[in-house]
Amino acid sequence: MNSAVSSDLVKLGHLFAEIMSSHDVSRLDEIKAINYVNHNAFAEPGLEGSKKVLAAIIAGVPDLKVTAEDVFASADGSRVVGRYRYEGTHAGNLLGYPATGRPFVMRSIDIWRVEHGRFVEHWDELNTLDVFVQIGAVQPPGQPA
C-alpha cells in the first residue's frame, strides 16, 4: 500500500471522531456505505442504524466529544483501526438510563473494513461498564449493591 492510501485511511479514522463530535448524523454519509454492517449490539443494521444510534447517544450526551487517540491503516489498505476517547455529561436518557448529570469518559477500539474510501463493516470494543459505573447506573465491581 502506498503512503497516500495509508494517509487517506488514517484521515478517514480521524473524520469519524470529527463527525461524532459534530453531532451531525447526516455526516455519517461521508464515511459509511449504505449497506454498512455494524457488529455492535447497540446499533441496528445499515447506515440508517448508525444514524439512529448516534442520535440516541447525542440525546443522552448532548455535549459528547470524541477524540481519536490513535488511528492506523492495515498494510493491505482494507482496514482502519482506531483508539478513541468519548467524553461528555449524562444529561438525557442513555441506553435506557435516565439523566444523572454526571460526566464520564469511555474508550473504544474500533476496526473498520474499507472499500472505495468508505467504511463498509465495523467491529468495536466499548468500555460501557465503566460508563455505567461513572453515571451511577451500576455499582463498581466488588462493591455492595
Side-chain angles (χ1 to χ4, degrees), residues 59-62 89-103 134-137:
V61 187
T89 307
H90 180 217
N93 185 305
L94 180 65
L95 303 172
Y97 294 98
T100 62
R102 294 182 179 181
Q134 291 175 66
I135 67 173

Side-chain angles (χ1 to χ4, degrees), residues 59-116:
V61 187
D63 63 346
L64 179 70
K65 180 182 178 198
V66 179
T67 305
E69 295 186 327
D70 286 306
V71 179
F72 305 95
S74 64
D76 68 358
S78 69
R79 302 276 194 278
V80 172
V81 178
R83 186 171 60 86
Y84 297 92
R85 175 186 168 99
Y86 293 71
E87 54 189 305
T89 307
H90 180 217
N93 185 305
L94 180 65
L95 303 172
Y97 294 98
T100 62
R102 294 182 179 181
F104 71 88
V105 173
M106 179 190 80
R107 289 195 163 77
S108 75
I109 303 288
D110 294 83
I111 303 169
W112 289 277
R113 187 167 59 83
V114 179
E115 290 180 2
H116 310 291

Side-chain angles (χ1 to χ4, degrees), residues 12 18 27 34 40-41 45 55 65-66 71 73 97 128 135-137 139:
L12 191 61
E18 176 186 315
R27 290 194 63 203
I34 292 192
N40 177 304
K65 180 182 178 198
V66 179
V71 179
Y97 294 98
T128 52
I135 67 173
Q139 293 295 317

Side-chain angles (χ1 to χ4, degrees), residues 115-130:
E115 290 180 2
H116 310 291
R118 294 206 188 282
F119 295 140
V120 294
E121 192 169 10
H122 174 248
W123 300 264
D124 62 11
E125 290 297 325
L126 306 170
N127 193 348
T128 52
L129 176 59
D130 198 31

Side-chain angles (χ1 to χ4, degrees), residues 10 14 19 26 28 33 39 46 57 83 87 109 120 133-134 137 145:
V10 168
H14 283 277
I19 290 170
S26 69
L28 291 175
H39 301 282
I57 291 168
R83 186 171 60 86
E87 54 189 305
I109 303 288
V120 294
V133 168
Q134 291 175 66

